[in-house]
Amino acid sequence: MKVTIVGAGVIGLCSAYYLQKEGYEVTVIERGDITDGCSFGNMGYISPSHFIPLASPGIIAEGIRHMLSSSSPFYIKPRLNWDLLQWGYHFWRNCNTATVKRNAPHLNNILHLSRYLINDMRDEIGDTFEMEEIGCLMMCKQEKTLQHEFHLADDAEKFGLQVERLRRNEVQQLETDVEVDVAGAVLFKDDCHFDPGKMITALKKHLESNGVRFQLHTTVTGFEKQNNRVTAVLTDKGKTDADELIVATGSWLPVVMRMMGIRLLLQPGKGYSHTYDHVEKNLKYPAILVDGRCAITPWKQRLRIGGTMELSGINNRVLIKRMQGIYESARNFYPGLTIDFPPADKIWNGLRPVTPDGLPYIGRVNNFENVIVAGGHAMLGISEGTGTGKLVSEITQHKTTSVDISAFKPQRY
């Protein structure tokens, strides 16, 4: 059976990985060269600790407060856009305790599945992407923030996660080479991190060696349909037949699905990052800087800082002041860290696909019996990549899925 996957980010590649293992003939179509997507420049976490959906109580008030600052971690470009308005309405409706309580277990399930599977994938494709299983710190500048994280740690333990609550001196004992200035932190021991760019490169190389075909620099222009099936993908370079079609195009998901007459609510959330190639006295642990709404990841002598959520449509424009906020937060939390503000042409940006409830879209669509959507993972694409790929393979085979996917229905809005 021929399976065609549109999109070669982490979700598309993980789907190809599990499908080729089941013996399918897989073709992956990608508009770029795989190095220019959000899967390359992110922070590289697989985080079972992130079981609270983005749509949660207080996030809107916090967002409005942040929008008053040009260097804030959150920004919505004011514009009259019907899709944005509808997305915003449903996002607002999901920002309540009852919805979070209902959605968190589903997020937890796919995160745990992905965390379990990544070790097997690493062992098979080769340990070339600097994976470390030392956990991730949730670093808190203020005592109030720390107490909130301690409370979340209680919830995490109910989900079976291993946590360690740390005060300032205990955090400093972990970071022996760099001075820290925080109230404390929570160490989520089940989290791991790696270089996402190296992981994507290694996975593509493995797939090619196992017969997966790639059509890069290829733009989808439409679909050939017959009755209630999509029979082929039309591109600027010709036609590709498909017995099963997987659409994993990240922030371009609504654009591609609209070609089939299907409307999905999703907004691209721009994030920024910069990678320092050599930091003499570097961090040992990756960390979310909770008060600063950004993150920091070390890989030996390299260091990446990143963050922000900018809802300004599909574009790659860089707002320098957004990166300024990330940089200042990193220096604020780690006054002993010696890094310079990056030059404008070295600031990476990518678009995260954000759904109105913080849960991904995974499953078959109602309109066509052979079309599966896999997208909308927001900031958790890497964290949920292997789990999503496994689920896509199971859905394709009409098998019972490893976890309940009822909350991930693509057309739930």
Side-chain angles (χ1 to χ4, degrees), residues 343-364:
D345 62 345
K346 298 297 183 182
I347 298 174
W348 177 92
N349 74 91
L351 301 173
R352 313 181 195 94
V354 185
T355 64
D357 57 6
L359 298 182
Y361 293 135
I362 306 172
R364 293 188 181 275

PDB file of all heavy atoms in Angstrom, residues 343-364:
ATOM      1  N   PRO A 343      23.595  38.700  16.719  1.00  0.00           N
ATOM      2  CA  PRO A 343      23.329  39.584  15.580  1.00  0.00           C
ATOM      3  C   PRO A 343      22.012  39.206  14.919  1.00  0.00           C
ATOM      4  O   PRO A 343      21.585  38.048  14.975  1.00  0.00           O
ATOM      5  CB  PRO A 343      24.516  39.334  14.647  1.00  0.00           C
ATOM      6  CG  PRO A 343      25.066  38.004  15.063  1.00  0.00           C
ATOM      7  CD  PRO A 343      24.788  37.864  16.516  1.00  0.00           C
ATOM      8  N   ALA A 344      21.370  40.176  14.292  1.00  0.00           N
ATOM      9  CA  ALA A 344      20.029  39.977  13.733  1.00  0.00           C
ATOM     10  C   ALA A 344      19.974  38.826  12.746  1.00  0.00           C
ATOM     11  O   ALA A 344      18.999  38.064  12.708  1.00  0.00           O
ATOM     12  CB  ALA A 344      19.550  41.269  13.081  1.00  0.00           C
ATOM     13  N   ASP A 345      21.020  38.652  11.931  1.00  0.00           N
ATOM     14  CA  ASP A 345      20.987  37.615  10.907  1.00  0.00           C
ATOM     15  C   ASP A 345      21.247  36.216  11.462  1.00  0.00           C
ATOM     16  O   ASP A 345      21.223  35.233  10.715  1.00  0.00           O
ATOM     17  CB  ASP A 345      21.975  37.931   9.780  1.00  0.00           C
ATOM     18  CG  ASP A 345      23.419  37.970  10.268  1.00  0.00           C
ATOM     19  OD1 ASP A 345      23.647  38.041  11.494  1.00  0.00           O
ATOM     20  OD2 ASP A 345      24.332  37.920   9.414  1.00  0.00           O
ATOM     21  N   LYS A 346      21.484  36.113  12.767  1.00  0.00           N
ATOM     22  CA  LYS A 346      21.715  34.821  13.404  1.00  0.00           C
ATOM     23  C   LYS A 346      20.545  34.418  14.311  1.00  0.00           C
ATOM     24  O   LYS A 346      20.635  33.433  15.057  1.00  0.00           O
ATOM     25  CB  LYS A 346      23.003  34.857  14.229  1.00  0.00           C
ATOM     26  CG  LYS A 346      24.258  35.132  13.404  1.00  0.00           C
ATOM     27  CD  LYS A 346      24.526  34.034  12.394  1.00  0.00           C
ATOM     28  CE  LYS A 346      25.817  34.296  11.631  1.00  0.00           C
ATOM     29  NZ  LYS A 346      26.081  33.261  10.594  1.00  0.00           N
ATOM     30  N   ILE A 347      19.465  35.179  14.264  1.00  0.00           N
ATOM     31  CA  ILE A 347      18.277  34.865  15.071  1.00  0.00           C
ATOM     32  C   ILE A 347      17.359  33.965  14.256  1.00  0.00           C
ATOM     33  O   ILE A 347      16.897  34.345  13.182  1.00  0.00           O
ATOM     34  CB  ILE A 347      17.544  36.142  15.501  1.00  0.00           C
ATOM     35  CG1 ILE A 347      18.449  37.009  16.381  1.00  0.00           C
ATOM     36  CG2 ILE A 347      16.257  35.786  16.260  1.00  0.00           C
ATOM     37  CD1 ILE A 347      17.854  38.368  16.726  1.00  0.00           C
ATOM     38  N   TRP A 348      17.128  32.776  14.760  1.00  0.00           N
ATOM     39  CA  TRP A 348      16.245  31.815  14.081  1.00  0.00           C
ATOM     40  C   TRP A 348      14.796  32.075  14.491  1.00  0.00           C
ATOM     41  O   TRP A 348      14.520  32.498  15.620  1.00  0.00           O
ATOM     42  CB  TRP A 348      16.649  30.404  14.469  1.00  0.00           C
ATOM     43  CG  TRP A 348      15.782  29.321  13.887  1.00  0.00           C
ATOM     44  CD1 TRP A 348      15.965  28.653  12.718  1.00  0.00           C
ATOM     45  CD2 TRP A 348      14.585  28.780  14.469  1.00  0.00           C
ATOM     46  NE1 TRP A 348      14.965  27.731  12.516  1.00  0.00           N
ATOM     47  CE2 TRP A 348      14.098  27.790  13.580  1.00  0.00           C
ATOM     48  CE3 TRP A 348      13.872  29.035  15.637  1.00  0.00           C
ATOM     49  CZ2 TRP A 348      12.937  27.056  13.832  1.00  0.00           C
ATOM     50  CZ3 TRP A 348      12.720  28.314  15.892  1.00  0.00           C
ATOM     51  CH2 TRP A 348      12.264  27.331  14.994  1.00  0.00           C
ATOM     52  N   ASN A 349      13.866  31.809  13.581  1.00  0.00           N
ATOM     53  CA  ASN A 349      12.456  31.847  13.969  1.00  0.00           C
ATOM     54  C   ASN A 349      11.705  30.734  13.252  1.00  0.00           C
ATOM     55  O   ASN A 349      12.071  30.319  12.152  1.00  0.00           O
ATOM     56  CB  ASN A 349      11.827  33.219  13.688  1.00  0.00           C
ATOM     57  CG  ASN A 349      11.587  33.462  12.215  1.00  0.00           C
ATOM     58  OD1 ASN A 349      10.519  33.156  11.676  1.00  0.00           O
ATOM     59  ND2 ASN A 349      12.596  34.026  11.545  1.00  0.00           N
ATOM     60  N   GLY A 350      10.681  30.227  13.918  1.00  0.00           N
ATOM     61  CA  GLY A 350       9.864  29.158  13.358  1.00  0.00           C
ATOM     62  C   GLY A 350       8.437  29.281  13.836  1.00  0.00           C
ATOM     63  O   GLY A 350       8.157  29.965  14.839  1.00  0.00           O
ATOM     64  N   LEU A 351       7.517  28.634  13.121  1.00  0.00           N
ATOM     65  CA  LEU A 351       6.089  28.765  13.406  1.00  0.00           C
ATOM     66  C   LEU A 351       5.543  27.489  14.040  1.00  0.00           C
ATOM     67  O   LEU A 351       5.548  26.430  13.421  1.00  0.00           O
ATOM     68  CB  LEU A 351       5.325  29.081  12.116  1.00  0.00           C
ATOM     69  CG  LEU A 351       5.737  30.364  11.394  1.00  0.00           C
ATOM     70  CD1 LEU A 351       5.019  30.474  10.061  1.00  0.00           C
ATOM     71  CD2 LEU A 351       5.458  31.589  12.269  1.00  0.00           C
ATOM     72  N   ARG A 352       5.055  27.611  15.261  1.00  0.00           N
ATOM     73  CA  ARG A 352       4.449  26.474  15.948  1.00  0.00           C
ATOM     74  C   ARG A 352       2.946  26.444  15.658  1.00  0.00           C
ATOM     75  O   ARG A 352       2.273  27.476  15.768  1.00  0.00           O
ATOM     76  CB  ARG A 352       4.653  26.578  17.453  1.00  0.00           C
ATOM     77  CG  ARG A 352       6.067  26.921  17.902  1.00  0.00           C
ATOM     78  CD  ARG A 352       6.078  26.945  19.414  1.00  0.00           C
ATOM     79  NE  ARG A 352       7.229  27.587  19.994  1.00  0.00           N
ATOM     80  CZ  ARG A 352       7.279  28.872  20.350  1.00  0.00           C
ATOM     81  NH1 ARG A 352       6.232  29.652  20.112  1.00  0.00           N
ATOM     82  NH2 ARG A 352       8.344  29.368  20.920  1.00  0.00           N
ATOM     83  N   PRO A 353       2.401  25.281  15.327  1.00  0.00           N
ATOM     84  CA  PRO A 353       0.963  25.192  15.019  1.00  0.00           C
ATOM     85  C   PRO A 353       0.131  25.050  16.297  1.00  0.00           C
ATOM     86  O   PRO A 353       0.200  24.042  16.990  1.00  0.00           O
ATOM     87  CB  PRO A 353       0.879  23.921  14.159  1.00  0.00           C
ATOM     88  CG  PRO A 353       2.031  23.081  14.615  1.00  0.00           C
ATOM     89  CD  PRO A 353       3.110  24.010  15.084  1.00  0.00           C
ATOM     90  N   VAL A 354      -0.676  26.070  16.601  1.00  0.00           N
ATOM     91  CA  VAL A 354      -1.389  26.134  17.881  1.00  0.00           C
ATOM     92  C   VAL A 354      -2.891  25.935  17.678  1.00  0.00           C
ATOM     93  O   VAL A 354      -3.533  26.691  16.948  1.00  0.00           O
ATOM     94  CB  VAL A 354      -1.133  27.491  18.576  1.00  0.00           C
ATOM     95  CG1 VAL A 354      -1.777  27.507  19.955  1.00  0.00           C
ATOM     96  CG2 VAL A 354       0.360  27.776  18.673  1.00  0.00           C
ATOM     97  N   THR A 355      -3.449  24.936  18.332  1.00  0.00           N
ATOM     98  CA  THR A 355      -4.893  24.692  18.293  1.00  0.00           C
ATOM     99  C   THR A 355      -5.574  25.504  19.400  1.00  0.00           C
ATOM    100  O   THR A 355      -4.909  25.995  20.311  1.00  0.00           O
ATOM    101  CB  THR A 355      -5.210  23.200  18.496  1.00  0.00           C
ATOM    102  OG1 THR A 355      -4.787  22.817  19.817  1.00  0.00           O
ATOM    103  CG2 THR A 355      -4.500  22.343  17.451  1.00  0.00           C
ATOM    104  N   PRO A 356      -6.905  25.635  19.361  1.00  0.00           N
ATOM    105  CA  PRO A 356      -7.590  26.431  20.376  1.00  0.00           C
ATOM    106  C   PRO A 356      -7.618  25.810  21.775  1.00  0.00           C
ATOM    107  O   PRO A 356      -7.945  26.500  22.729  1.00  0.00           O
ATOM    108  CB  PRO A 356      -9.029  26.553  19.832  1.00  0.00           C
ATOM    109  CG  PRO A 356      -8.915  26.300  18.379  1.00  0.00           C
ATOM    110  CD  PRO A 356      -7.819  25.284  18.247  1.00  0.00           C
ATOM    111  N   ASP A 357      -7.275  24.524  21.912  1.00  0.00           N
ATOM    112  CA  ASP A 357      -7.330  23.907  23.241  1.00  0.00           C
ATOM    113  C   ASP A 357      -5.997  23.338  23.703  1.00  0.00           C
ATOM    114  O   ASP A 357      -5.906  22.758  24.783  1.00  0.00           O
ATOM    115  CB  ASP A 357      -8.400  22.803  23.283  1.00  0.00           C
ATOM    116  CG  ASP A 357      -8.184  21.714  22.246  1.00  0.00           C
ATOM    117  OD1 ASP A 357      -7.137  21.733  21.561  1.00  0.00           O
ATOM    118  OD2 ASP A 357      -9.076  20.855  22.103  1.00  0.00           O
ATOM    119  N   GLY A 358      -4.947  23.498  22.901  1.00  0.00           N
ATOM    120  CA  GLY A 358      -3.640  22.991  23.314  1.00  0.00           C
ATOM    121  C   GLY A 358      -3.443  21.512  23.080  1.00  0.00           C
ATOM    122  O   GLY A 358      -2.395  20.962  23.448  1.00  0.00           O
ATOM    123  N   LEU A 359      -4.414  20.852  22.462  1.00  0.00           N
ATOM    124  CA  LEU A 359      -4.284  19.443  22.112  1.00  0.00           C
ATOM    125  C   LEU A 359      -4.060  19.320  20.606  1.00  0.00           C
ATOM    126  O   LEU A 359      -4.585  20.122  19.838  1.00  0.00           O
ATOM    127  CB  LEU A 359      -5.541  18.659  22.494  1.00  0.00           C
ATOM    128  CG  LEU A 359      -5.913  18.600  23.982  1.00  0.00           C
ATOM    129  CD1 LEU A 359      -7.161  17.742  24.177  1.00  0.00           C
ATOM    130  CD2 LEU A 359      -4.767  18.057  24.823  1.00  0.00           C
ATOM    131  N   PRO A 360      -3.309  18.323  20.174  1.00  0.00           N
ATOM    132  CA  PRO A 360      -3.067  18.172  18.733  1.00  0.00           C
ATOM    133  C   PRO A 360      -4.282  17.651  17.990  1.00  0.00           C
ATOM    134  O   PRO A 360      -5.242  17.167  18.595  1.00  0.00           O
ATOM    135  CB  PRO A 360      -1.923  17.153  18.694  1.00  0.00           C
ATOM    136  CG  PRO A 360      -2.109  16.334  19.928  1.00  0.00           C
ATOM    137  CD  PRO A 360      -2.608  17.290  20.969  1.00  0.00           C
ATOM    138  N   TYR A 361      -4.217  17.757  16.679  1.00  0.00           N
ATOM    139  CA  TYR A 361      -5.190  17.120  15.793  1.00  0.00           C
ATOM    140  C   TYR A 361      -4.564  15.812  15.297  1.00  0.00           C
ATOM    141  O   TYR A 361      -3.563  15.837  14.571  1.00  0.00           O
ATOM    142  CB  TYR A 361      -5.495  18.003  14.582  1.00  0.00           C
ATOM    143  CG  TYR A 361      -6.217  19.300  14.875  1.00  0.00           C
ATOM    144  CD1 TYR A 361      -5.795  20.496  14.272  1.00  0.00           C
ATOM    145  CD2 TYR A 361      -7.315  19.338  15.718  1.00  0.00           C
ATOM    146  CE1 TYR A 361      -6.465  21.689  14.506  1.00  0.00           C
ATOM    147  CE2 TYR A 361      -7.990  20.537  15.959  1.00  0.00           C
ATOM    148  CZ  TYR A 361      -7.552  21.705  15.355  1.00  0.00           C
ATOM    149  OH  TYR A 361      -8.229  22.888  15.602  1.00  0.00           O
ATOM    150  N   ILE A 362      -5.128  14.688  15.688  1.00  0.00           N
ATOM    151  CA  ILE A 362      -4.626  13.388  15.236  1.00  0.00           C
ATOM    152  C   ILE A 362      -5.821  12.489  14.946  1.00  0.00           C
ATOM    153  O   ILE A 362      -6.614  12.188  15.848  1.00  0.00           O
ATOM    154  CB  ILE A 362      -3.728  12.705  16.287  1.00  0.00           C
ATOM    155  CG1 ILE A 362      -2.578  13.614  16.731  1.00  0.00           C
ATOM    156  CG2 ILE A 362      -3.169  11.385  15.739  1.00  0.00           C
ATOM    157  CD1 ILE A 362      -1.769  13.072  17.900  1.00  0.00           C
ATOM    158  N   GLY A 363      -5.970  12.058  13.698  1.00  0.00           N
ATOM    159  CA  GLY A 363      -7.060  11.148  13.363  1.00  0.00           C
ATOM    160  C   GLY A 363      -7.532  11.322  11.933  1.00  0.00           C
ATOM    161  O   GLY A 363      -7.069  12.205  11.198  1.00  0.00           O
ATOM    162  N   ARG A 364      -8.472  10.483  11.553  1.00  0.00           N
ATOM    163  CA  ARG A 364      -9.063  10.570  10.212  1.00  0.00           C
ATOM    164  C   ARG A 364     -10.070  11.716  10.163  1.00  0.00           C
ATOM    165  O   ARG A 364     -10.695  12.048  11.172  1.00  0.00           O
ATOM    166  CB  ARG A 364      -9.752   9.247   9.851  1.00  0.00           C
ATOM    167  CG  ARG A 364      -8.778   8.079   9.689  1.00  0.00           C
ATOM    168  CD  ARG A 364      -9.475   6.841   9.141  1.00  0.00           C
ATOM    169  NE  ARG A 364      -8.525   5.732   9.030  1.00  0.00           N
ATOM    170  CZ  ARG A 364      -7.718   5.524   7.994  1.00  0.00           C
ATOM    171  NH1 ARG A 364      -7.755   6.358   6.969  1.00  0.00           N
ATOM    172  NH2 ARG A 364      -6.885   4.504   7.968  1.00  0.00           N
TER     173      ARG A 364
END
